[in-house]
Structure formats: C-alpha cells, structure tokens
Amino acid sequence: MVDHAQTQYASKQMISGANVDEHTSRETALVAARAADDRKADNILVLCVSEVSYLADYFVIVTGFSQAQLRGISQAISDQVEIELERLPLRVEGQGEGNWVLMDYGDVIVHILLPQGRDFYKLEAFWGHAERVNWQSD
C-alpha cells in the first residue's frame, strides 16, 4: 500500500526534473543497487537508458525470491536513497501484490521482480542496447 503522506512529501521535496543532473541520477541508481544488494537481491543490473528512452535516465533491475523479500528490498532502497540523497520515490507500485515492485524516482526507475516475472518480461533484453553500469564499489 502506498503511503499517501510519503508520496505528497516526495512530491514536494523531491529534486525536480529540472534540477536533477546526470550525477544525481547516477548516484540514485547506484545507491539503489547497493541497498538491494544489502538485502540479498540477486542479478542486480543498472542500465543507463538516457540515450535510448525518454522514460528515465537509469533503470535498476533486481531479483528477489519471495514477496516479503521484494517488499524488504523496496523499503531498504527507499530508506537508503532518502538517507544518502534526501530523495523519496514519486510513486511505488506493486507492494501489495508483491510480484513486481516498481519504484519511480522520475529520473531513475527501480524494478524489483520475482524470478518468474523477470524471466517473463525480460526487461534487460528489451533494454539490452542501453549501457550497463558497474554498480559495485571498488
């Protein structure tokens, strides 16, 4: 379920599209990927889609193995991005169903899927021409 107070806060406090630069977008994607990794997400992929899509600058695609883990990954990402970058998602969809959670930061879209959903939708194949970004710390 979406917390409407949080969504309103995010709408007021989120860095607006006009003020988001490439560095902020990239950092949001990297923080999200690392937070997902901390919650034991699998097959984490960060794609720079700015050259091939008008939807966002970055996609983060991760796999979780249960509905509870999907919700946990989503919460960890939301918490860590807020702590490090003072940003909240504009929208979070799918937490109630738990098969595919989508977190929309405007310039970054995070997809958290169960393995069967990831295999079915093949997002990385669809966006395969986008640049893959190394998200792991050196």
Side-chain angles (χ1 to χ4, degrees):
M1 174 175 260
V2 176
D3 181 344
H4 294 291
Q6 183 178 9
T7 302
Q8 288 175 344
Y9 172 79
S11 296
K12 293 176 184 172
Q13 297 298 319
M14 191 213 125
I15 300 169
S16 69
N19 294 332
V20 173
D21 60 15
E22 177 64 24
H23 176 75
T24 303
S25 297
R26 183 179 181 88
E27 281 303 307
T28 302
L30 296 177
V31 169
R34 291 182 188 127
D37 186 52
D38 288 346
R39 291 303 237 158
K40 307 297 183 211
D42 192 39
N43 200 9
I44 299 169
L45 180 63
V46 177
L47 297 174
C48 178
V49 296
S50 60
E51 297 296 319
V52 296
S53 173
Y54 63 89
L55 296 174
D57 293 332
Y58 289 88
F59 282 176
V60 180
I61 306 169
V62 307
T63 301
F65 296 100
S66 70
Q67 292 178 345
Q69 187 186 20
L70 296 186
R71 288 188 297 272
I73 292 167
S74 172
Q75 188 62 54
I77 291 170
S78 181
D79 291 347
Q80 201 61 37
V81 170
E82 182 178 11
I83 289 166
E84 291 189 33
L85 302 172
E86 299 179 350
R87 296 187 70 184
L88 291 170
L90 294 173
R91 284 174 292 288
V92 178
E93 300 292 335
Q95 283 186 319
E97 298 81 27
N99 298 317
W100 179 354
V101 177
L102 185 139
M103 304 177 73
D104 182 359
Y105 284 90
D107 55 325
V108 177
I109 299 176
V110 180
H111 303 271
I112 310 165
L113 300 105
L114 292 172
Q116 59 269 32
R118 189 155 178 179
D119 289 343
F120 181 79
Y121 290 106
K122 299 183 187 319
L123 294 176
E124 53 266 51
F126 187 78
W127 297 103
H129 50 293
E131 173 192 351
R132 290 178 182 240
V133 176
N134 180 12
W135 59 269
Q136 295 172 312
S137 299
D138 293 323

